[in-house]
Amino acid sequence: MRKNIVAGNWKMNNDLKATRKLVKQIRKSIKKAELDNTRVIVAPTFVNLATAVKRAKKSKLEVAAQNMHQATNGAFTGEISADMLKSVGVKTVILGHSERRAYFGETDAILAEKVDAALSNKLEVIFCFGEELADRKTGKEETVVGSQIEKALFHLEADAYKKIVLAYEPVWAIGTGETASPEQAQDMHAFIRKTLADKYGNEVADSVSILYGGSVKPANAKEIFSKPDVDGGLIGGAALNSKDFYAIVSAF
Ligand code: 13P
C-alpha cells in the first residue's frame, strides 16, 4: 500500500538555531502519534541538513534536501552533489520545485538528469510539477502537467518508481493563500495516476504517492487529504510552525 507523506519544504528559512528548535519540536510532537502509514519529512536548507539529520536520529522524522546538482562533482561553484547529501545522511531530495524552475532556470531536460543522478545514487526523489495560473485559465493544466511528467520521468523503467514520490503544486496556489479546491486537487491527482497507469500499468500507478502542495494549512488539510488520490502534502509556510505542521500531520 502506498504511504501517506507530509513533507515540510522550509525553503530559504530557518538558520541553525531555528533549525535545531523546529526539528526538536516536530520530533517531540510526532513521538506519540500513531503514524502507521504516514511518513513525516522536513527539508531544511543545505547548510543545516547535517544538523537536522543528527537531531532527527532515532525518531520518526525524516530529512530531505530541497535540491541537488546533476553532476557527480567538479567545477560547479555553489552546487551540491548527490554524494554530498548522502554523506550527511540525507536519503531524499526534492527536485523540480516551481521556484527552481522559475528563478533558477531548471528545465524539464535538466530535471531528467537530476532525477537520474539522484536515483543512481539511491536517493529517493520527491518530484514537483504544476501549472501556472494562465495555463489553468485556458484549460491547459492537464497538458502542462502531463508534459512535465513525461519529459522528466518517462525515460525511467517501472522499477524506478519505488523511489519516486510525485508532488503536484499548482504555481498559482504556492504562497498565495489560494488553495486548489479538494475537487480540483483530486481531479488532477486522478489524471496524474492515469498518466502513470497508461505508461507503466496500474500496479506502478497505484503504488506511487502523489502529494498536493500549495497553501495547505491546518484548516484545509483534512478535506484535501480525504480525497482518494491525494496521499499527503508538500507544505511551505505552514511547515515553519511546529503546531501547524503537526496539525497537518494529524489530518490523516
Ligand atoms: P505554501 O504551502 O507556502 O503555499 O508552499 C507550498 C510549496 O511550495 C511547498 O513546496
Side-chain angles (χ1 to χ4, degrees), residues 110-129:
I110 292 173
L111 291 169
E113 287 181 39
K114 289 195 177 203
V115 168
D116 288 344
L119 294 178
S120 62
N121 279 285
K122 303 206 161 32
L123 288 171
E124 174 188 49
V125 173
I126 299 179
F127 186 75
C128 310
F129 51 84

Side-chain angles (χ1 to χ4, degrees), residues 7-11 94 97-99 128 167 169 173-178 212-217 233-239:
N9 174 10
W10 290 3
K11 309 191 180 184
I94 298 172
H97 194 281
S98 65
E99 287 148 19
C128 310
E169 298 204 307
I174 296 179
T176 57
E178 179 114 10
Y212 168 80
S215 300
V216 177
K217 356 178 218 291
L234 187 54
I235 322 297

